[in-house]
């Protein structure tokens, strides 16, 4: 296993190179073997041929010596074989088989009798033996015998082994070097590819590319890798953008903000400088979003983000935190005035009307400010404190900013608790309704009740203007409104069932409820569920409902009106300045805002406004309701102005269910609203 | 009887002696008639034959008989007879010539002449003939080969000038064995 692992760890090209060299070794070995074998065979053949030539020469030259019985000549002839170092001995036998002459190399002895020669080459004891008959024409003159050793053959074998060994080694080295060189040349692009892939894998960076100027398979491979890297880089960039930038505004998102904030804190910590975190939350953006749709809301967010970017200094940055929340990071703050200069500029710029898809939209922003290092040492605490400050600013009204103070933490905790309690209250339906009577101007006839939601937390009555904004912010307003709607219809129906005078029940519905696509079904369902006739239900809408969704609200309101439900404008005079909607929309009632009623008898201008509203409403054949009537003087003035209905503490505070029933019992039978108008 | 017996015995002894004597006489006569050639002569006869194997005579356009190598002998008839017996059915050289031994006196033409007697160069029959003399003491004008003894072995000397005049081709094999003059 270890060996396998070691083999696996060897560089691929090294393995390939070794494989090629190993493959080269085989033919080299075969060639070397063949060369060796061939050389040895040749040498042996040459040796034997030489031996044969030797004996032939001996035979041909020894005839005369034999014929003339000249042993001296024969011996001399044989002694010439000294030059043949391999020749051990040579003998000449005469025709009778007697030794005629012989030659022996020193140290050699005659080791084979003539009888054992047969004319062929004999190999015995590492020696060659050869004999040949000496003939003269047909006369047998004798026999020549030669014996040669194989020392030269052994030496030659050693020599060839050495030569072929060196040739083999040389070829091996040459094959290795050539293959290494060729492979290096051929695989250089692949090595570059591997390097690139390794670089990409290690650094997760995809910007490098290889030169693909080849037209072979490797060129295709490089092109493929480059293309893949292009794709990955694009996807990486997209992923990075998605991870770090808001898709709508293309501003940095909270992830990138946190990185930048951490970085800014590090630098500020080292440089002993200050930074400021501005938490922006658009006021009433939800109204716009709900009423005009998300498309308009998104367009508005885009314009706002552009404005914010335009306000920034080079060292600052802005990000979208989510929804209608933005966070601005101001670095290198030298003095508080620098922050306020920018904040005021932001509030001013954002408060300027924006035209989105033909809609003139008014938006403001609340800003919470937290500074480093005094308000937090890390990004999370800075953001949290800026967020708390923003809520504090928002509680002070629209278009405000607040610096973080440690005391805000308590309020924040309180708000958090409120949110939790409100969730529980919605689940448990812990709310209850109070009913404030609406009487005809004569003060005797009960025309209707306005249902007012109330909530008690641990026995303490929480004001609606305290908890309703939170309900709105935490997204529970629709459920709460639906509960109020059903509850009010059922109460009214129960009074009718109890034989009490028929009155109209007014309920306040937020713009988001009216804009909801199920608005009509919800109202119709509440009426059907309770059995209340639509004419005994009046929905009160603020002017803001028409501010941003006039075209959308119109058909819905008309449908409701056709059903028989009355529609009233609440807090009239405090909102939208354009009153053309009064003419276009099916509005039956105008409720003059209490701030105008409170000024009656104190300011002629105020009375002029009230009179104008009443005159306007009358001219449009609408019923006029005055809210917050608390004094007889106010009542008298309103009577003189021919106001139709009075609502306020002068007649009655909001009553609970039983009190309202008693109140109804005590008063005269209410008139039909239409009769009041007439 | 005794006489007869004695006579018979005497006759038998006489006959036996006669028979033995006759056999001995016959043996003596026979051995005298077949007096063996000396070993030296036999060797010389063999050498003469061997010379023909190493000498090439120029070709002639003579008849068939010219294809025979004639060894002309000026020696004892025994020698001639021995040589004749030796060369019978022998063919030598590239042309596989037959070899014939004949007396010099009767020969018309000779390729090889062997003589034990000194003499003078004779006529046409010695033309192209290689003259071999028995010993250095034998003087012959055109002698090409002379037998001599050395260390009790028969050897021969070749006179290069004379043998070249005969226009024969002598094998180096022969030359290497000879003493060259």
């Amino acid at each position: 296993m270890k060996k396998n692992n070691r083999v696996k760890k060897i560089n691929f090209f090294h393995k390939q190179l070794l494989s090629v060299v190993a493959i080269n070794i085989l033919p080299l070995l075969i060639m070397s073997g063949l060369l060796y074998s061939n050389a040895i065979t040749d040498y042996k053949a040459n040796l034997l041929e030489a031996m044969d030539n030797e004996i032939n020469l001996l035979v041909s030259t020894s005839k005369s010596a034999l014929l003339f019985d000249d042993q001296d000549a024969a011996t001399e002839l044989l002694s010439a074989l000294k030059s043949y170092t391999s020749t051990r001995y040579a003998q000449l036998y005469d025709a009778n088989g007697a030794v005629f002459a012989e030659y022996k190399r020193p140290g050699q002895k005659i080791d084979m009798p003539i009888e054992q020669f047969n004319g062929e080459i004999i190999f015995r004891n590492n020696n060659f033996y050869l004999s040949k008959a000496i003939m003269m024409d047909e006369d047998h003159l004798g026999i020549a015998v030669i014996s040669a050793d194989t020392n030269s053959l052994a030496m030659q074998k050693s020599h060839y082994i050495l030569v072929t060994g060196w040739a083999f080694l040389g070829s091996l080295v040459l094959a290795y070097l050539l293959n290494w060189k060729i492979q290096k040349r051929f695989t250089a692009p692949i090595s570059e590819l591997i390097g690139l892939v390794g670089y990409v894998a290690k650094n997760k960076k995809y910007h490098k590319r290889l030169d693909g100027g080849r037209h072979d398979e490797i060129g295709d491979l490089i092109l493929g890798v480059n293309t893949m890297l292009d794709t990955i880089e694009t996807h990486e960039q997209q992923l990075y953008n998605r991870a770090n930038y808001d898709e709508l505004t293309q501003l940095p998102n909270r992830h990138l903000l946190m990185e930048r904030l951490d970085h800014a804190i590090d630098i500020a910590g080292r440089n002993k400088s200050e930074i400021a975190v501005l938490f922006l939350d658009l006021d009433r953006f939800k109204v716009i979003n709900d009423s005009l749709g998300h498309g308009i809301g998104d367009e508005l967010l885009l314009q706002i983000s552009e404005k914010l970017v335009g306000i920034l200094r080079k060292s600052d940055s802005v990000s979208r935190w989510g929804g209608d929340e933005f966070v601005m990071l101001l670095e290198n703050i030298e003095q508080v005035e620098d922050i306020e200069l920018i904040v005021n500029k932001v509030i001013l710029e954002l408060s300027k009307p924006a035209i989105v898809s033909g809609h003139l939209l008014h938006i403001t922003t609340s800003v919470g400010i937290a500074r480093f290092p005094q308000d937090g040492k890390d990004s999370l605490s800075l953001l949290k404190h800026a967020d708390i400050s923003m809520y504090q600013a928002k509680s002070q009204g629209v278009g405000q900013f607040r610096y973080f103070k440690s005391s805000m933490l308590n309020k924040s905790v309180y708000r958090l608790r409120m949110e939790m309690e409100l969730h529980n209250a919605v689940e448990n339906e812990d709310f209850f309704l109070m009913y404030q009577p609406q009487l005809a101007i004569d003060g005797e006839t009960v025309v209707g009740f306005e249902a007012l939601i109330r909530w008690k937390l641990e026995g303490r009555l929480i004001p609606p203007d305290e908890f309703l904004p939170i309900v709105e912010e935490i997204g529970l307003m629709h459920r709460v409104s639906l509960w109020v709607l059903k509850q009010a219809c059922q109460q009214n129906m129960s009074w009718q069932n109890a034989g009490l005078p028929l009155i109209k029940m007014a309920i306040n519905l937020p713009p988001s409820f009216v804009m909801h696509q199920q608005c009509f079904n919800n109202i119709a369902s509440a009426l059907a569920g309770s059995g209340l006739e639509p004419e005994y239900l009046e929905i009160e809408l603020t002017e803001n409902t028409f501010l941003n969704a006039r075209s959308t609200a119109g058909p819905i309101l008309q449908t409701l009106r056709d059903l028989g439900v009355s529609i009233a404008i609440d807090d009239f005079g405090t909102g939208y300045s354009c009153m053309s909607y009064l003419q276009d929309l099916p509005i039956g009632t105008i409720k003059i805002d209490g701030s105008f009623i409170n000024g009656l008898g104190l300011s002629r201008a105020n009375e002029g406004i009230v009179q104008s509203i009443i005159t306007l409403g009358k001219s449009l054949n609408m019923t006029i309701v005055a809210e917050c009537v608390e004094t007889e003087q106010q009542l008298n003035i309103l009577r003189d102005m021919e106001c139709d209905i009075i609502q306020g503490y002068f007649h009655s505070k909001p009553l609970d269910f039983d009190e309202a029933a008693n109140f109804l019992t005590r008063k005269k039978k209410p008139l039909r609203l239409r009769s009041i108008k007439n | 009887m005794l006489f007869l017996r004695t006579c018979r015995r005497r006759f038998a002894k006489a006959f036996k002696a006669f028979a033995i004597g006759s056999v001995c006489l016959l043996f003596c006569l026979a051995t005298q008639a077949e007096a063996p050639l000396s070993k030296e002569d036999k060797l010389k006869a063999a050498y003469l034959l061997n010379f023909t194997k190493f000498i090439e005579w120029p070709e002639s356009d003579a008849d068939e008989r010219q294809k025979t190598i004639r060894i002309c002998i000026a020696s004892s008839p025994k020698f001639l007879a021995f040589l004749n017996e030796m060369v019978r059915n022998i063919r030598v050289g590239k042309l596989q010539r037959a070899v014939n031994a004949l007396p010099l006196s009767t020969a018309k033409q000779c390729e090889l002449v062997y003589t034990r007697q000194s003499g003078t160069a004779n006529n046409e029959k010695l033309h192209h003939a290689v003259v071999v003399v028995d010993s250095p003491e034998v003087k012959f004008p055109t002698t090409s080969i002379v037998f001599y003894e050395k260390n009790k072995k028969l050897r021969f000397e070749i006179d290069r000038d004379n043998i070249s005049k005969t226009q024969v081709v002598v094998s180096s094999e022969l030359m290497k064995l000879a003493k060259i003059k």
Side-chain angles (χ1 to χ4, degrees):
Chain A
M1 284 298 289
K2 285 182 179 176
K3 190 178 179 181
N4 285 340
N5 287 336
R6 278 204 299 273
V7 170
K8 285 177 184 174
K9 285 179 183 174
I10 295 174
N11 176 287
F12 169 76
F13 295 111
H14 205 176
K15 271 194 272 192
Q16 192 184 22
L17 180 60
L18 288 176
S19 301
V20 171
V21 172
I23 291 168
N24 286 339
I25 285 174
L26 185 62
L28 275 175
L29 276 173
I30 293 171
M31 290 300 293
S32 299
L34 286 174
L35 281 173
Y36 172 78
S37 172
N38 194 46
I40 291 300
T41 305
D42 279 354
Y43 185 81
K44 193 174 176 181
N46 287 337
L47 195 65
L48 295 176
E49 189 179 346
M51 205 171 158
D52 194 50
N53 291 337
E54 210 174 315
I55 202 165
N56 281 334
L57 187 63
L58 191 59
V59 164
S60 63
T61 56
S62 62
K63 291 175 184 173
S64 56
L66 281 167
L67 278 173
F68 292 102
D69 192 28
D70 192 343
Q71 288 181 314
D72 293 338
T75 305
E76 189 181 346
L77 185 67
L78 291 176
S79 65
L81 296 174
K82 283 179 184 174
S83 57
Y84 296 92
T85 54
S86 61
T87 303
R88 297 173 63 231
Y89 65 83
Q91 290 178 300
L92 286 176
Y93 290 85
D94 61 19
N96 299 319
V99 175
F100 182 71
E102 71 179 19
Y103 156 75
K104 283 193 294 185
R105 207 169 67 200
Q108 298 294 334
K109 61 178 182 179
I110 310 300
D111 53 2
M112 185 177 283
I114 185 65
E115 294 78 15
Q116 294 184 8
F117 285 89
N118 57 7
E120 301 293 328
I121 285 188
I122 299 171
F123 181 73
R124 187 181 297 172
N125 302 325
N126 290 325
N127 295 318
F128 291 115
Y129 300 87
L130 183 61
S131 66
K132 193 156 191 175
I134 304 169
M135 302 292 290
M136 187 76 180
D137 298 329
E138 292 179 352
D139 295 336
H140 177 72
L141 303 181
I143 297 173
V145 165
I146 285 182
S147 174
D149 61 32
T150 56
N151 292 343
S152 65
L153 182 62
M155 285 176 63
Q156 203 62 25
K157 281 182 179 177
S158 302
H159 175 69
Y160 279 132
I161 286 172
L162 195 66
V163 168
T164 50
W166 278 113
F168 174 76
L169 279 176
S171 303
L172 198 63
V173 171
L174 190 63
Y176 182 86
L177 290 175
L178 287 175
N179 278 305
W180 175 75
K181 188 75 179 170
I182 291 169
Q183 279 206 352
K184 190 179 177 187
R185 186 171 179 181
F186 283 169
T187 60
I190 297 178
S191 297
E192 289 178 13
L193 263 177
I194 292 171
L196 176 64
V197 172
Y199 173 82
V200 168
K202 184 179 179 183
N203 301 303
K204 310 296 182 194
K205 292 181 179 174
Y206 309 98
H207 61 281
K208 281 192 176 181
R209 298 290 183 275
L210 289 181
D211 180 18
R214 301 171 63 111
H215 302 290
D216 54 9
E217 292 83 350
I218 294 176
D220 294 342
L221 186 62
I222 290 173
L223 185 64
V225 170
N226 284 343
T227 307
M228 278 195 290
L229 286 175
D230 287 343
T231 307
I232 293 171
E233 192 175 27
T234 305
H235 288 174
E236 187 75 8
Q237 188 62 44
Q238 288 173 348
L239 283 174
Y240 178 81
N241 287 340
R242 285 179 186 173
N244 294 284
Y245 289 90
D246 176 55
E247 193 174 355
L248 173 65
T249 62
Q250 297 304 313
L251 291 176
N253 60 13
R254 65 172 66 191
H255 177 260
L256 186 54
L257 169 72
M258 295 302 285
E259 282 186 4
R260 289 185 177 179
L261 186 51
D262 288 336
H263 184 62
I265 289 171
D266 285 343
I267 293 174
R270 284 200 295 271
N271 298 341
K272 307 293 182 190
S273 59
E274 287 190 13
I275 60 175
V277 176
L278 277 54
F279 205 107
L280 282 66
D281 186 276
L282 303 180
D283 302 320
R284 296 187 303 168
F285 176 77
K286 184 169 174 57
V287 174
I288 295 172
N289 216 18
D290 290 345
S291 55
L292 296 180
H294 291 289
I296 301 293
D298 288 348
E299 189 66 29
L300 179 60
L301 286 173
L302 269 176
Q303 289 193 14
I304 288 169
S305 63
E306 287 170 4
K307 285 180 180 177
L308 292 175
V309 170
I311 293 167
L312 288 178
R313 304 173 302 174
K314 283 187 178 177
S315 59
D316 303 334
S317 62
V318 60
S319 59
R320 188 182 177 199
W321 186 252
D324 58 348
E325 295 172 330
F326 295 86
V327 173
M328 296 178 74
L329 174 61
L330 310 182
E331 297 185 59
N332 301 320
I333 301 298
E334 294 178 357
Q335 52 195 359
V336 177
E337 287 75 15
D338 293 343
I339 302 172
E340 290 184 7
L341 187 68
I342 294 172
V343 170
N344 285 325
K345 199 171 179 182
V346 167
I347 292 173
L348 178 65
E349 284 297 320
L350 263 59
S351 65
K352 290 179 180 175
I355 298 173
V356 180
S357 300
H359 298 276
L360 185 64
L361 303 179
H362 296 266
I363 193 95
T364 56
T365 184
S366 300
V367 183
I369 305 164
R371 292 168 291 174
F372 174 84
Q374 56 267 48
D375 296 338
K377 302 293 185 188
D378 56 73
S379 54
L380 286 175
S381 58
L382 279 174
L383 281 165
K384 176 185 163 188
H385 295 164
D387 191 23
I388 291 169
S389 308
M390 183 274 292
Y391 277 109
Q392 286 298 311
K394 198 174 275 291
S395 68
Q396 300 301 313
V398 297
Q400 301 295 317
F401 71 90
R402 286 292 180 272
Y403 286 100
F404 174 74
K405 291 177 184 174
S406 56
S407 60
M408 291 179 179
L409 287 172
N410 295 332
K411 293 180 181 176
S412 177
V413 171
Y414 172 73
R415 177 190 160 87
L416 189 62
R417 185 188 167 204
M418 288 279 282
E419 288 182 5
M420 291 170 56
E421 293 293 347
L422 279 168
H423 276 287
N424 291 334
V426 170
E427 290 299 323
N428 302 327
E429 297 185 344
D430 290 339
F431 302 105
F432 62 95
L433 295 180
M434 298 288 281
Y435 307 94
Q436 188 166 36
Q438 294 176 338
L439 287 84
I441 192 67
D442 61 2
E444 296 298 330
T445 306
V446 179
V447 177
F449 285 106
E450 181 181 0
L452 301 169
I453 190 168
R454 294 292 183 266
W455 179 48
K456 276 185 178 178
L457 180 62
E458 295 176 346
R460 186 176 73 88
L461 198 62
I462 308 298
D465 59 351
E466 186 176 325
F467 75 82
L468 282 178
I470 300 174
V471 168
E472 177 78 34
E473 286 172 18
I474 63 179
L476 295 173
M477 184 56 85
H478 188 79
R479 286 183 65 181
V480 171
S481 300
L482 201 56
W483 179 83
V484 170
L485 175 65
K486 290 179 179 176
Q487 196 69 18
C489 290
Q490 286 173 0
Q491 296 285 27
N492 196 4
M493 193 62 210
S494 65
W495 285 328
Q496 289 185 12
N497 291 338
L500 293 174
L502 302 175
I503 48 94
K504 185 177 286 185
M505 182 66 79
I507 58 171
N508 294 281
L509 289 178
S512 59
F513 189 92
V514 176
M515 294 302 118
H516 197 281
Q517 57 182 0
Q518 293 296 319
C519 172
F520 177 80
N521 290 338
N522 288 333
I523 292 172
S525 175
L527 289 170
S530 62
L532 187 68
E533 291 295 328
E535 61 182 304
Y536 299 111
L537 177 64
E538 183 175 74
I539 59 173
E540 294 186 1
L541 306 171
T542 62
E543 285 179 288
N544 289 331
T545 307
F546 313 110
L547 176 70
N548 298 318
R550 185 168 158 185
S551 58
T552 312
I556 297 170
L557 295 179
Q558 188 59 54
T559 309
L560 290 172
R561 188 70 192 92
D562 294 342
L563 182 66
V565 176
S566 301
I567 296 167
I569 303 293
D570 199 10
D571 302 330
F572 187 83
T574 59
Y576 198 27
S577 59
C578 179
M579 294 185 188
S580 63
Y581 70 91
L582 294 173
Q583 186 177 343
D584 300 334
L585 297 175
I587 299 166
T589 302
I590 289 177
K591 293 185 75 173
I592 303 171
D593 188 69
S595 60
F596 297 118
I597 305 301
N598 290 337
L600 288 176
L602 302 175
S603 164
R604 283 187 174 273
N606 197 66
E607 289 176 12
I609 291 170
V610 174
Q611 182 62 67
S612 299
I613 292 171
I614 292 171
T615 304
L616 174 68
K618 293 287 182 185
S619 67
L620 293 171
N621 199 25
M622 293 180 180
T623 300
I624 310 299
V625 178
E627 294 180 296
C628 303
V629 178
E630 297 177 350
T631 65
E632 189 170 4
Q633 183 188 12
Q634 293 169 346
L635 175 65
N636 291 334
I637 292 172
L638 289 167
R639 185 184 293 113
D640 293 342
M641 291 180 180
E642 297 183 344
C643 180
D644 299 317
I645 297 172
I646 302 298
Q647 178 182 341
Y649 274 67
F650 180 75
H651 286 305
S652 174
K653 63 178 182 179
L655 307 171
D656 64 22
F657 178 75
D658 294 333
E659 289 172 337
N662 291 335
F663 190 86
L664 264 180
T665 306
R666 287 202 306 271
K667 291 295 179 182
K668 293 178 181 176
K669 186 179 179 181
L671 299 173
R672 292 282 177 192
L673 286 178
R674 191 53 55 194
S675 65
I676 293 172
K677 288 178 188 171
N678 296 335
Chain B
M1 278 299 286
L2 182 63
F3 174 75
L4 283 173
R5 190 175 292 169
T6 304
C7 286
R8 195 178 289 172
R9 285 180 183 165
R10 284 181 182 173
F11 178 77
K13 284 183 181 176
F15 183 77
K16 189 176 179 181
F18 175 77
I20 293 170
S22 299
V23 169
C24 290
L25 182 62
L26 286 173
F27 180 76
C28 289
L29 288 173
T31 52
Q32 193 173 8
E34 293 293 325
L37 208 56
S38 67
K39 184 181 177 185
E40 186 183 346
D41 282 342
K42 289 179 181 175
L43 270 177
K44 285 176 181 174
Y47 274 36
L48 288 175
L49 176 60
N50 288 342
F51 287 153
T52 63
K53 297 176 182 177
F54 294 95
I55 296 172
E56 294 286 338
W57 279 267
E59 294 181 27
S60 67
D61 32 34
D63 57 10
E64 282 295 314
R65 294 188 61 191
Q66 293 296 328
K67 292 181 180 177
T68 303
I69 295 175
R70 292 155 293 193
I71 305 174
C72 301
I73 303 298
S75 182
S76 67
K78 291 178 186 175
F79 187 90
L80 178 61
F82 181 80
L83 184 61
N84 249 330
E85 189 65 26
M86 185 179 286
V87 300
R88 185 179 299 161
N89 300 325
I90 293 291
R91 288 185 176 274
V92 297
K94 292 179 184 174
L95 301 175
Q96 287 290 293
R97 288 180 169 184
V99 180
N100 192 16
L102 66 168
L104 177 64
S105 55
T106 60
K108 290 182 179 176
Q109 186 72 40
C110 300
E111 273 75 35
L112 188 68
V113 173
Y114 171 66
T115 179
R116 289 183 173 179
Q117 299 164 359
S118 300
T120 56
N122 199 6
N123 51 48
E124 282 294 316
K125 67 172 78 172
L126 297 181
H127 186 61
H128 290 314
V130 175
V131 177
V132 181
V133 298
D134 185 63
S135 67
E137 286 76 28
V138 177
K139 302 300 180 187
F140 207 86
T142 56
T143 299
S144 296
I145 299 173
V146 180
F147 286 124
Y148 70 94
E149 190 176 317
K150 184 181 178 183
N151 298 330
K152 295 183 180 177
K153 288 193 178 265
L154 183 64
R155 292 288 175 262
F156 53 90
E157 181 188 66
I158 295 177
D159 187 324
R160 189 187 296 170
D161 291 336
N162 283 343
I163 206 165
S164 63
K165 288 175 186 171
T166 59
Q167 298 181 355
V168 298
V169 177
V170 181
S171 167
S172 61
E173 284 291 299
L174 190 64
M175 296 294 281
K176 77 182 180 186
L177 297 178
K179 186 169 83 175
I180 305 300
K181 183 181 178 184

